[in-house]
Amino acid sequence: MTVTLAHTPRFETERLILRAPEASDWEAAGPFLVSERARHIGGPFTATQAWREYAQDLGHWVLRGWGLFSIEHRESGRTLGCAGPYHPEGWAENEFGWSLWRPESEGKGYAREAVERLRAYAYGELGWTTAVSYIDADNAPSIALAERLGCRLDPDAPLPKADGWEDLAPGEVLVYRHPAPGKVAA
């Protein structure tokens, strides 16, 4: 028997359902995490590391009361990836993260649709006043998305003080600052 995260928000957009992760999402997350496609988030991971990475994201919900939402396609019911508010131990600031787990999901605006809705949630219900996205300097699609979301490069923002981050060369990770709550375009 699996346990579900109870009393978690659920949002619907035009094409998506944004919900807390479920055990069945592992079927899509696992192959992504062990693939080369996970290189921008510290992967590819071994099968054991991938399980721990996924379990950490689930545990984030328990410890913080919020976390990365699973992105589900409303029409097909397929889990496409994850996005949302994130702040694990060692992070310098609140972050919005996103990953699309299936290559065929890229370039369709799903991540943008998800982040725009979840940013409104974090700024409204969670009371955030600022947020960043930490993006691998080689991740051109995520950089382009951050810019479409109205984010601006913030070279003075601190990086997380967490395992693995201390070995990064200057400029390897870019910090994009999200617009303030009242400055987000509709």
Side-chain angles (χ1 to χ4, degrees):
M1 172 160 90
T2 60
V3 174
T4 59
L5 294 166
H7 310 293
T8 54
R10 176 183 170 97
F11 304 108
E12 292 192 20
T13 66
E14 182 180 336
R15 300 178 296 164
L16 307 172
I17 296 171
L18 306 169
R19 56 166 174 74
E22 300 172 353
S24 61
D25 295 336
W26 174 247
E27 294 173 22
F32 165 75
L33 290 167
V34 300
S35 77
E36 179 60 27
R37 295 190 67 247
R39 70 189 175 282
H40 298 301
I41 61 165
F45 301 99
T46 66
T48 302
Q49 291 168 330
W51 176 259
R52 288 182 185 146
E53 187 75 16
Y54 186 69
Q56 169 189 292
D57 290 345
L58 291 170
H60 189 286
W61 275 92
V62 173
L63 296 171
R64 297 264 191 235
W66 45 268
L68 295 174
F69 285 70
S70 290
I71 303 170
E72 182 181 313
H73 190 266
R74 282 177 64 167
E75 192 173 300
S76 71
R78 292 183 73 179
T79 304
L80 307 177
C82 65
Y86 193 63
H87 194 134
E89 178 60 32
W91 251 226
E93 297 190 53
N94 290 327
E95 179 185 18
F96 289 106
W98 57 80
S99 294
L100 292 175
W101 299 337
R102 304 171 188 271
E104 64 271 16
S105 299
E106 293 181 358
K108 294 179 170 57
Y110 296 136
R112 180 178 182 171
E113 190 173 323
V115 172
E116 285 175 341
R117 177 60 187 97
L118 296 170
R119 187 166 60 187
Y121 160 70
Y123 283 169
E125 294 180 47
L126 298 180
W128 287 16
T129 58
T130 188
V132 298
S133 287
Y134 301 110
I135 302 176
D136 184 314
D138 293 330
N139 190 344
S142 280
I143 291 169
L145 174 57
E147 291 173 352
R148 282 193 303 278
L149 288 164
C151 303
R152 297 291 173 250
L153 193 58
D154 185 350
D156 299 322
L159 292 177
K161 293 184 184 328
D163 292 344
W165 287 81
E166 65 277 352
D167 298 329
L168 294 173
E172 231 176 312
V173 172
L174 304 175
V175 183
Y176 276 83
R177 179 142 326 266
H178 287 259
K183 305 295 183 191
V184 176

